[in-house]
Amino acid sequence: MSLILGIETSCDETAAAVVQDGRRVLSNIIASQHDLHRRYRGVVPEIASRAHLERIGPVVHEAMEQAGVTLPAIDAVAVGNRPGLIGSLLVGVSAAQALAWALDKPLIGIDHVQAHLYAAQLLPHAGKASANGESAIDYPALGLVVSGGHTSLYEARSPTDLTLLGRTIDDAVGEAYDKAAVILGLGYPGGPAVDALAQQGNPRAYDLPRSLLEPQSLDFSFSGLKTALLYQVRGRPRGRGRQAAFERSAHDLTDAQRADLAASFQAAVVDTLLIKLQRAFDHLESQGRRPRSVVLGGGVSANSLLRQRVAQWGPEHNLKVCIPPLAYCLDNAAMIAGLAQVYLDQGQTSDLDLPAMATAAC
Ligand code: KG4
Ligand code: ZN
Protein backbone atom coordinates (compact mmCIF):
# COMPACT_ATOMS: atom_id res chain seq x y z
CA MET A 1 0.00 0.00 0.00
CA SER A 2 1.31 3.44 -0.92
CA LEU A 3 0.07 6.76 0.46
CA ILE A 4 0.75 10.12 -1.16
CA LEU A 5 -0.04 13.56 0.25
CA GLY A 6 -0.93 15.98 -2.57
CA ILE A 7 -0.92 19.78 -2.40
CA GLU A 8 -2.49 22.15 -4.94
CA THR A 9 -2.37 25.96 -4.85
CA SER A 10 -2.03 26.98 -8.52
CA CYS A 11 -4.94 29.44 -8.61
CA ASP A 12 -7.59 30.27 -6.00
CA GLU A 13 -8.18 26.91 -4.31
CA THR A 14 -5.99 25.82 -1.38
CA ALA A 15 -6.17 22.04 -1.49
CA ALA A 16 -4.62 18.98 0.11
CA ALA A 17 -5.50 15.29 -0.27
CA VAL A 18 -4.29 11.84 0.68
CA VAL A 19 -4.57 9.18 -2.04
CA GLN A 20 -3.87 5.49 -1.62
CA ASP A 21 -2.27 3.51 -4.46
CA GLY A 22 -2.88 6.30 -6.95
CA ARG A 23 -6.64 5.97 -7.09
CA ARG A 24 -8.43 5.66 -3.77
CA VAL A 25 -9.08 9.11 -2.31
CA LEU A 26 -8.84 8.99 1.49
CA SER A 27 -9.35 12.75 1.90
CA ASN A 28 -9.83 15.69 -0.44
CA ILE A 29 -9.88 19.08 1.32
CA ILE A 30 -10.52 22.21 -0.74
CA ALA A 31 -10.59 25.72 0.76
CA SER A 32 -12.10 27.87 -1.95
CA GLN A 33 -11.36 31.61 -2.09
CA HIS A 34 -14.43 32.54 -4.16
CA ASP A 35 -15.71 34.85 -1.42
CA LEU A 36 -12.47 36.86 -1.50
CA HIS A 37 -12.47 37.34 -5.28
CA ARG A 38 -16.22 37.68 -5.95
CA ARG A 39 -16.33 41.47 -5.70
CA TYR A 40 -13.58 41.72 -8.36
CA ARG A 41 -15.34 39.13 -10.59
CA GLY A 42 -12.01 37.40 -11.15
CA VAL A 43 -8.97 36.13 -9.26
CA VAL A 44 -6.68 38.83 -7.81
CA PRO A 45 -3.21 37.18 -7.66
CA GLU A 46 -1.92 39.01 -4.57
CA ILE A 47 -5.06 38.22 -2.58
CA ALA A 48 -4.85 34.59 -3.72
CA SER A 49 -1.27 34.03 -2.59
CA ARG A 50 -1.85 35.69 0.78
CA ALA A 51 -4.93 33.52 1.39
CA HIS A 52 -2.99 30.36 0.42
CA LEU A 53 -0.36 31.26 2.99
CA GLU A 54 -2.99 31.54 5.75
CA ARG A 55 -4.77 28.33 4.77
CA ILE A 56 -2.13 25.83 3.68
CA GLY A 57 -1.23 24.66 7.21
CA PRO A 58 -4.81 23.99 8.39
CA VAL A 59 -5.79 22.44 5.03
CA VAL A 60 -2.90 19.91 5.12
CA HIS A 61 -3.69 19.15 8.75
CA GLU A 62 -7.35 18.49 7.94
CA ALA A 63 -6.45 16.27 4.96
CA MET A 64 -4.26 14.09 7.21
CA GLU A 65 -6.88 13.97 9.95
CA GLN A 66 -9.73 13.06 7.62
CA ALA A 67 -7.63 10.34 5.97
CA GLY A 68 -6.78 8.96 9.42
CA VAL A 69 -3.10 8.95 8.50
CA THR A 70 -0.08 10.40 10.31
CA LEU A 71 2.59 12.33 8.41
CA PRO A 72 5.35 9.72 8.96
CA ALA A 73 3.11 7.12 7.26
CA ILE A 74 3.15 9.07 3.97
CA ASP A 75 5.33 7.62 1.18
CA ALA A 76 5.77 10.83 -0.80
CA VAL A 77 4.70 14.48 -0.97
CA ALA A 78 3.36 15.71 -4.31
CA VAL A 79 2.65 19.28 -5.39
CA GLY A 80 1.25 21.00 -8.46
CA ASN A 81 4.26 23.16 -9.39
CA ARG A 82 3.21 24.28 -12.90
CA PRO A 83 1.44 26.07 -14.60
CA GLY A 84 -0.44 28.69 -12.59
CA LEU A 85 -0.18 32.00 -10.78
CA ILE A 86 3.42 32.18 -9.64
CA GLY A 87 2.71 33.69 -6.21
CA SER A 88 0.07 31.01 -5.56
CA LEU A 89 2.24 28.12 -6.79
CA LEU A 90 5.11 29.24 -4.57
CA VAL A 91 3.06 28.73 -1.41
CA GLY A 92 2.21 25.09 -2.21
CA VAL A 93 5.69 24.31 -3.49
CA SER A 94 7.35 25.76 -0.39
CA ALA A 95 5.02 23.82 1.91
CA ALA A 96 5.65 20.57 0.01
CA GLN A 97 9.42 21.12 0.01
CA ALA A 98 9.39 21.73 3.76
CA LEU A 99 7.30 18.62 4.45
CA ALA A 100 9.36 16.38 2.16
CA TRP A 101 12.58 17.61 3.76
CA ALA A 102 11.33 17.33 7.34
CA LEU A 103 9.84 13.86 6.78
CA ASP A 104 12.73 12.70 4.57
CA LYS A 105 10.28 11.54 1.86
CA PRO A 106 10.42 11.94 -1.92
CA LEU A 107 9.04 15.16 -3.42
CA ILE A 108 7.15 14.94 -6.74
CA GLY A 109 6.34 18.03 -8.82
CA ILE A 110 3.21 17.62 -10.95
CA ASP A 111 1.87 19.45 -14.01
CA HIS A 112 -1.60 20.76 -13.13
CA VAL A 113 -3.03 20.19 -16.63
CA GLN A 114 -1.74 16.61 -16.80
CA ALA A 115 -3.32 16.04 -13.40
CA HIS A 116 -6.73 17.24 -14.69
CA LEU A 117 -6.51 14.48 -17.32
CA TYR A 118 -5.77 11.94 -14.58
CA ALA A 119 -8.76 12.93 -12.38
CA ALA A 120 -11.11 10.44 -14.08
CA GLN A 121 -9.00 7.62 -12.57
CA LEU A 122 -9.84 8.61 -8.99
CA LEU A 123 -12.19 6.55 -6.87
CA PRO A 124 -14.16 8.32 -4.12
CA HIS A 125 -13.37 7.05 -0.63
CA ALA A 126 -16.97 6.19 0.12
CA GLY A 127 -17.50 4.44 -3.24
CA LYS A 128 -18.03 0.68 -3.37
CA ALA A 129 -15.68 0.11 -6.33
CA SER A 130 -12.28 -1.26 -5.36
CA ALA A 131 -8.97 -0.07 -6.75
CA ASN A 132 -8.01 -3.47 -8.07
CA GLY A 133 -5.48 -2.23 -10.59
CA GLU A 134 -8.04 -2.01 -13.40
CA SER A 135 -7.54 1.23 -15.32
CA ALA A 136 -10.55 3.52 -15.65
CA ILE A 137 -9.02 5.11 -18.73
CA ASP A 138 -8.13 2.84 -21.65
CA TYR A 139 -5.04 4.21 -23.43
CA PRO A 140 -4.40 5.63 -25.95
CA ALA A 141 -6.94 8.29 -25.14
CA LEU A 142 -8.17 11.53 -26.61
CA GLY A 143 -8.08 14.11 -23.80
CA LEU A 144 -9.79 17.48 -23.49
CA VAL A 145 -8.84 19.83 -20.63
CA VAL A 146 -11.36 22.64 -20.22
CA SER A 147 -10.78 25.02 -17.32
CA GLY A 148 -10.49 28.68 -16.38
CA GLY A 149 -6.94 28.79 -17.70
CA HIS A 150 -6.80 26.04 -20.35
CA THR A 151 -8.61 24.64 -23.34
CA SER A 152 -6.39 21.95 -24.83
CA LEU A 153 -6.70 18.69 -26.75
CA TYR A 154 -4.22 15.89 -26.12
CA GLU A 155 -3.32 12.50 -27.43
CA ALA A 156 -2.52 10.54 -24.26
CA ARG A 157 -0.56 7.29 -24.62
CA SER A 158 -0.41 6.93 -20.81
CA PRO A 159 -1.11 9.25 -17.83
CA THR A 160 2.38 10.73 -18.24
CA ASP A 161 2.88 10.59 -22.02
CA LEU A 162 0.83 13.36 -23.64
CA THR A 163 1.07 15.13 -26.99
CA LEU A 164 -0.66 18.48 -27.38
CA LEU A 165 -2.93 18.46 -30.46
CA GLY A 166 -4.51 21.91 -30.14
CA ARG A 167 -5.18 24.74 -27.69
CA THR A 168 -7.01 28.03 -27.43
CA ILE A 169 -5.46 30.94 -29.26
CA ASP A 170 -7.26 33.48 -27.02
CA ASP A 171 -9.66 32.91 -24.11
CA ALA A 172 -9.90 29.62 -22.23
CA VAL A 173 -13.42 28.21 -22.24
CA GLY A 174 -13.89 28.71 -18.47
CA GLU A 175 -12.70 32.29 -18.87
CA ALA A 176 -15.32 32.76 -21.63
CA TYR A 177 -17.98 31.40 -19.24
CA ASP A 178 -16.84 33.76 -16.48
CA LYS A 179 -16.96 36.74 -18.88
CA ALA A 180 -20.35 35.66 -20.25
CA ALA A 181 -21.65 35.67 -16.67
CA VAL A 182 -20.42 39.27 -16.22
CA ILE A 183 -22.09 40.29 -19.51
CA LEU A 184 -25.37 38.65 -18.41
CA GLY A 185 -25.16 40.18 -14.91
CA LEU A 186 -24.74 36.81 -13.16
CA GLY A 187 -22.54 35.88 -10.20
CA TYR A 188 -18.95 34.66 -9.84
CA PRO A 189 -17.64 32.10 -10.70
CA GLY A 190 -19.62 32.35 -13.89
CA GLY A 191 -19.53 28.79 -15.22
CA PRO A 192 -21.96 27.19 -12.77
CA ALA A 193 -24.29 30.25 -12.92
CA VAL A 194 -24.49 30.23 -16.74
CA ASP A 195 -24.89 26.42 -16.76
CA ALA A 196 -27.79 26.56 -14.29
CA LEU A 197 -29.58 29.37 -16.13
CA ALA A 198 -29.00 27.75 -19.54
CA GLN A 199 -31.10 24.80 -18.44
CA GLN A 200 -34.15 27.09 -18.32
CA GLY A 201 -33.59 28.66 -21.74
CA ASN A 202 -33.95 27.87 -25.45
CA PRO A 203 -30.54 27.07 -27.01
CA ARG A 204 -31.85 28.02 -30.48
CA ALA A 205 -33.18 31.44 -29.48
CA TYR A 206 -30.03 33.33 -30.52
CA ASP A 207 -27.63 32.49 -33.35
CA LEU A 208 -24.18 32.84 -31.75
CA PRO A 209 -20.99 31.93 -33.68
CA ARG A 210 -19.10 28.63 -33.50
CA SER A 211 -15.54 29.68 -34.20
CA LEU A 212 -13.80 26.73 -35.87
CA LEU A 213 -10.70 28.41 -37.39
CA GLU A 214 -9.22 26.73 -40.51
CA PRO A 215 -10.90 23.49 -41.67
CA GLN A 216 -8.20 21.21 -40.20
CA SER A 217 -7.42 23.30 -37.12
CA LEU A 218 -7.54 21.66 -33.69
CA ASP A 219 -7.08 25.03 -31.97
CA PHE A 220 -9.89 26.93 -30.26
CA SER A 221 -11.00 30.56 -30.16
CA PHE A 222 -13.68 31.89 -27.83
CA SER A 223 -13.13 35.66 -27.88
CA GLY A 224 -15.45 36.17 -30.90
CA LEU A 225 -18.28 34.32 -29.17
CA LYS A 226 -17.84 36.49 -26.07
CA THR A 227 -18.02 39.68 -28.18
CA ALA A 228 -21.06 38.37 -30.09
CA LEU A 229 -22.81 37.77 -26.76
CA LEU A 230 -21.88 41.25 -25.54
CA TYR A 231 -23.35 42.88 -28.69
CA GLN A 232 -26.47 40.70 -28.48
CA VAL A 233 -27.06 41.85 -24.88
CA ARG A 234 -26.09 45.51 -25.13
CA GLY A 235 -26.36 46.36 -28.84
CA ARG A 236 -23.55 47.72 -31.01
CA PRO A 237 -21.21 50.18 -29.24
CA ARG A 238 -20.77 53.77 -30.37
CA GLY A 239 -17.16 54.88 -29.87
CA ARG A 240 -14.25 52.72 -28.70
CA GLY A 241 -12.56 51.54 -25.51
CA ARG A 242 -13.62 53.29 -22.30
CA GLN A 243 -15.57 55.85 -24.33
CA ALA A 244 -17.80 53.17 -25.88
CA ALA A 245 -21.51 53.74 -25.24
CA PHE A 246 -23.89 50.82 -25.67
CA GLU A 247 -27.54 50.96 -26.71
CA ARG A 248 -28.78 49.06 -23.62
CA SER A 249 -27.58 47.37 -20.45
CA ALA A 250 -27.95 43.84 -19.09
CA HIS A 251 -30.60 45.21 -16.68
CA ASP A 252 -32.95 45.68 -19.66
CA LEU A 253 -33.10 41.91 -20.28
CA THR A 254 -36.15 39.96 -19.20
CA ASP A 255 -35.54 36.76 -17.22
CA ALA A 256 -36.61 34.72 -20.25
CA GLN A 257 -34.18 36.57 -22.55
CA ARG A 258 -31.35 36.07 -20.07
CA ALA A 259 -32.03 32.33 -19.88
CA ASP A 260 -32.25 32.08 -23.70
CA LEU A 261 -28.93 33.92 -24.05
CA ALA A 262 -27.27 31.63 -21.49
CA ALA A 263 -28.63 28.56 -23.29
CA SER A 264 -27.56 29.86 -26.73
CA PHE A 265 -24.07 30.67 -25.40
CA GLN A 266 -23.73 27.24 -23.81
CA ALA A 267 -24.89 25.53 -27.02
CA ALA A 268 -22.29 27.46 -29.05
CA VAL A 269 -19.48 26.54 -26.62
CA VAL A 270 -20.38 22.85 -26.41
CA ASP A 271 -20.98 22.52 -30.19
CA THR A 272 -17.50 23.98 -30.75
CA LEU A 273 -15.88 21.59 -28.26
CA LEU A 274 -17.65 18.58 -29.82
CA ILE A 275 -16.68 19.60 -33.36
CA LYS A 276 -13.03 19.84 -32.27
CA LEU A 277 -13.21 16.46 -30.51
CA GLN A 278 -14.57 14.99 -33.74
CA ARG A 279 -11.80 16.61 -35.78
CA ALA A 280 -9.14 15.33 -33.38
CA PHE A 281 -10.63 11.84 -33.46
CA ASP A 282 -10.71 11.85 -37.31
CA HIS A 283 -7.11 13.12 -37.39
CA LEU A 284 -5.84 10.39 -35.06
CA GLU A 285 -7.81 7.70 -36.87
CA SER A 286 -6.47 8.79 -40.27
CA GLN A 287 -2.94 8.45 -38.83
CA GLY A 288 -3.63 4.92 -37.59
CA ARG A 289 -3.66 6.12 -33.97
CA ARG A 290 -7.29 5.52 -33.10
CA PRO A 291 -7.95 6.36 -29.40
CA ARG A 292 -9.78 3.92 -27.11
CA SER A 293 -11.15 6.48 -24.62
CA VAL A 294 -12.27 10.08 -24.51
CA VAL A 295 -11.21 11.81 -21.28
CA LEU A 296 -12.42 15.14 -19.90
CA GLY A 297 -10.79 17.21 -17.16
CA GLY A 298 -10.87 20.71 -15.67
CA GLY A 299 -13.59 22.87 -14.15
CA VAL A 300 -15.72 23.11 -17.29
CA SER A 301 -16.01 19.30 -17.38
CA ALA A 302 -18.53 19.89 -14.57
CA ASN A 303 -20.78 21.44 -17.24
CA SER A 304 -24.07 19.57 -17.58
CA LEU A 305 -24.42 19.89 -21.37
CA LEU A 306 -20.78 19.01 -22.09
CA ARG A 307 -21.00 15.87 -19.90
CA GLN A 308 -24.22 14.85 -21.62
CA ARG A 309 -22.95 15.42 -25.17
CA VAL A 310 -19.59 13.67 -24.62
CA ALA A 311 -21.34 10.74 -22.92
CA GLN A 312 -23.41 10.39 -26.10
CA TRP A 313 -20.60 11.07 -28.61
CA GLY A 314 -18.06 8.61 -27.12
CA PRO A 315 -20.01 5.37 -27.65
CA GLU A 316 -20.94 6.48 -31.20
CA HIS A 317 -17.20 6.23 -31.92
CA ASN A 318 -16.57 3.15 -29.84
CA LEU A 319 -14.77 5.21 -27.20
CA LYS A 320 -14.88 4.60 -23.47
CA VAL A 321 -16.12 7.81 -21.84
CA CYS A 322 -14.04 8.93 -18.84
CA ILE A 323 -15.44 12.01 -17.10
CA PRO A 324 -14.35 12.72 -13.52
CA PRO A 325 -16.95 12.77 -10.75
CA LEU A 326 -17.96 16.40 -10.08
CA ALA A 327 -15.73 16.62 -6.97
CA TYR A 328 -12.62 15.98 -9.09
CA CYS A 329 -13.44 18.27 -12.05
CA LEU A 330 -12.55 21.52 -10.30
CA ASP A 331 -9.09 22.19 -8.89
CA ASN A 332 -8.22 19.62 -6.23
CA ALA A 333 -5.18 17.93 -4.75
CA ALA A 334 -6.41 14.33 -5.14
CA MET A 335 -5.60 14.47 -8.86
CA ILE A 336 -2.08 15.71 -7.95
CA ALA A 337 -1.48 12.90 -5.45
CA GLY A 338 -2.99 10.29 -7.80
CA LEU A 339 -0.81 11.18 -10.78
CA ALA A 340 2.24 11.42 -8.49
CA GLN A 341 1.86 7.70 -7.73
CA VAL A 342 2.42 6.94 -11.43
CA TYR A 343 5.66 8.95 -11.36
CA LEU A 344 6.73 7.35 -8.06
CA ASP A 345 6.16 3.88 -9.55
CA GLN A 346 8.34 4.92 -12.51
CA GLY A 347 11.04 6.05 -10.05
CA GLN A 348 10.67 9.66 -11.16
CA THR A 349 10.88 12.08 -8.25
CA SER A 350 11.92 15.75 -8.04
CA ASP A 351 14.85 17.47 -6.37
CA LEU A 352 14.13 19.37 -3.17
CA ASP A 353 14.80 22.65 -4.99
CA LEU A 354 11.82 22.00 -7.30
CA PRO A 355 10.90 25.33 -8.95
CA ALA A 356 7.39 26.78 -9.29
CA MET A 357 6.72 27.64 -12.95
CA ALA A 358 3.98 29.93 -14.25
CA THR A 359 3.95 28.22 -17.66
CA ALA A 360 4.46 24.57 -18.59
CA ALA A 361 5.88 22.82 -21.62
CA CYS A 362 2.79 20.80 -22.61
O1 KG4 B 1 -10.16 23.67 -13.25
P1 KG4 B 1 -10.66 24.88 -12.56
O2 KG4 B 1 -11.21 24.73 -11.17
O3 KG4 B 1 -9.52 25.96 -12.44
C1 KG4 B 1 -8.57 26.18 -13.43
O4 KG4 B 1 -7.59 25.37 -13.53
O5 KG4 B 1 -8.79 27.17 -14.17
O6 KG4 B 1 -11.74 25.57 -13.51
C2 KG4 B 1 -12.47 26.70 -13.13
C3 KG4 B 1 -13.37 27.14 -14.28
C4 KG4 B 1 -14.04 28.49 -14.04
O7 KG4 B 1 -13.84 29.30 -15.17
C5 KG4 B 1 -15.52 28.11 -13.86
O8 KG4 B 1 -16.40 29.13 -14.28
C6 KG4 B 1 -15.63 26.88 -14.74
O9 KG4 B 1 -14.42 26.17 -14.48
N1 KG4 B 1 -16.79 26.04 -14.40
C7 KG4 B 1 -17.80 25.77 -15.27
C8 KG4 B 1 -18.74 24.99 -14.56
N2 KG4 B 1 -18.25 24.79 -13.29
C9 KG4 B 1 -17.05 25.44 -13.23
N3 KG4 B 1 -17.99 26.14 -16.55
C10 KG4 B 1 -19.13 25.73 -17.14
N4 KG4 B 1 -20.06 25.00 -16.53
C11 KG4 B 1 -19.92 24.59 -15.25
N5 KG4 B 1 -20.86 23.85 -14.65
ZN1 ZN C 1 -7.37 23.55 -12.99
Side-chain angles (χ1 to χ4, degrees):
M1 183 181 80
S2 176
L3 292 170
I4 297 190
L5 166 65
I7 293 177
E8 155 62 38
T9 61
S10 67
C11 190
D12 63 341
E13 254 90 40
T14 317
V18 178
V19 176
Q20 181 187 321
D21 299 329
R23 295 190 62 197
R24 178 161 293 284
V25 181
L26 301 189
S27 64
N28 186 35
I29 306 300
I30 304 171
S32 160
Q33 302 178 7
H34 291 162
D35 288 350
L36 299 179
H37 301 285
R38 184 163 284 122
R39 62 188 286 216
Y40 307 102
R41 296 193 285 195
V43 177
V44 182
E46 287 74 14
I47 294 177
S49 44
R50 203 168 315 156
H52 284 308
L53 209 51
E54 288 165 6
R55 293 163 191 213
I56 189 71
V59 164
V60 168
H61 184 76
E62 202 179 329
M64 300 307 300
E65 207 169 74
Q66 208 175 89
V69 171
T70 59
L71 278 172
I74 290 293
D75 293 285
V77 181
V79 62
N81 74 316
R82 62 195 192 276
L85 299 172
I86 193 69
S88 292
L89 287 167
L90 275 168
V91 177
V93 169
S94 307
Q97 286 167 327
L99 279 165
W101 180 75
L103 297 166
D104 195 20
K105 303 286 177 179
L107 175 68
I108 304 169
I110 293 292
D111 181 299
H112 179 90
V113 183
Q114 247 186 44
H116 270 308
L117 275 188
Y118 182 85
Q121 301 272 42
L122 297 171
L123 300 168
H125 185 34
K128 286 267 185 303
S130 68
N132 56 8
E134 183 199 333
S135 171
I137 301 173
D138 289 339
Y139 293 95
L142 172 58
L144 175 65
V145 179
V146 277
S147 73
H150 307 275
T151 308
S152 306
L153 274 167
Y154 292 92
E155 178 184 11
R157 284 169 294 277
S158 78
T160 55
D161 183 5
L162 310 179
T163 303
L164 181 68
L165 301 173
R167 62 177 5 155
T168 182
I169 59 167
D170 43 53
D171 291 354
V173 63
E175 191 182 348
Y177 261 98
D178 293 334
K179 288 176 179 165
V182 173
I183 293 169
L184 292 171
L186 304 174
Y188 172 84
V194 174
D195 189 7
L197 188 60
Q199 290 171 45
Q200 298 161 33
N202 172 8
R204 281 178 290 276
Y206 295 91
D207 187 20
L208 295 174
R210 277 81 172 144
S211 176
L212 302 177
L213 305 173
E214 297 82 43
Q216 303 300 319
S217 175
L218 298 179
D219 288 332
F220 301 88
S221 166
F222 290 105
S223 68
L225 171 62
K226 179 190 66 190
T227 308
L229 179 72
L230 177 71
Y231 289 179
Q232 194 64 248
V233 171
R234 304 193 59 187
R236 293 251 156 204
R238 285 184 304 273
R240 307 196 69 145
R242 287 180 180 279
Q243 265 65 48
F246 286 91
E247 292 166 20
R248 351 173 246 281
S249 94
H251 299 297
D252 298 328
L253 295 172
T254 64
D255 287 348
Q257 281 172 327
R258 208 183 299 270
D260 285 348
L261 284 160
S264 302
F265 172 83
Q266 178 140 298
V269 168
V270 176
D271 276 356
T272 307
L273 295 175
L274 264 292
I275 290 167
K276 294 293 171 152
L277 273 176
Q278 182 69 50
R279 275 188 191 175
F281 175 83
D282 292 343
H283 165 73
L284 292 175
E285 193 175 43
S286 72
Q287 307 268 311
R289 309 202 307 267
R290 194 181 207 284
R292 297 172 65 208
S293 310
V294 56
V295 185
L296 291 188
V300 184
S301 53
N303 184 266
S304 60
L305 184 63
L306 180 62
R307 294 174 84 87
Q308 197 182 311
R309 292 277 303 274
V310 171
Q312 205 177 336
W313 179 81
E316 286 166 14
H317 296 79
N318 214 5
L319 293 168
K320 183 169 181 180
V321 176
C322 306
I323 306 179
L326 282 180
Y328 308 137
C329 289
L330 296 163
D331 285 352
N332 67 86
M335 65 183 190
I336 302 287
L339 179 58
Q341 183 69 54
V342 181
Y343 281 104
L344 188 65
D345 292 346
Q346 292 171 357
Q348 290 188 54
T349 59
S350 309
D351 291 334
L352 268 184
D353 61 356
L354 174 77
M357 292 184 285
T359 55
C362 85

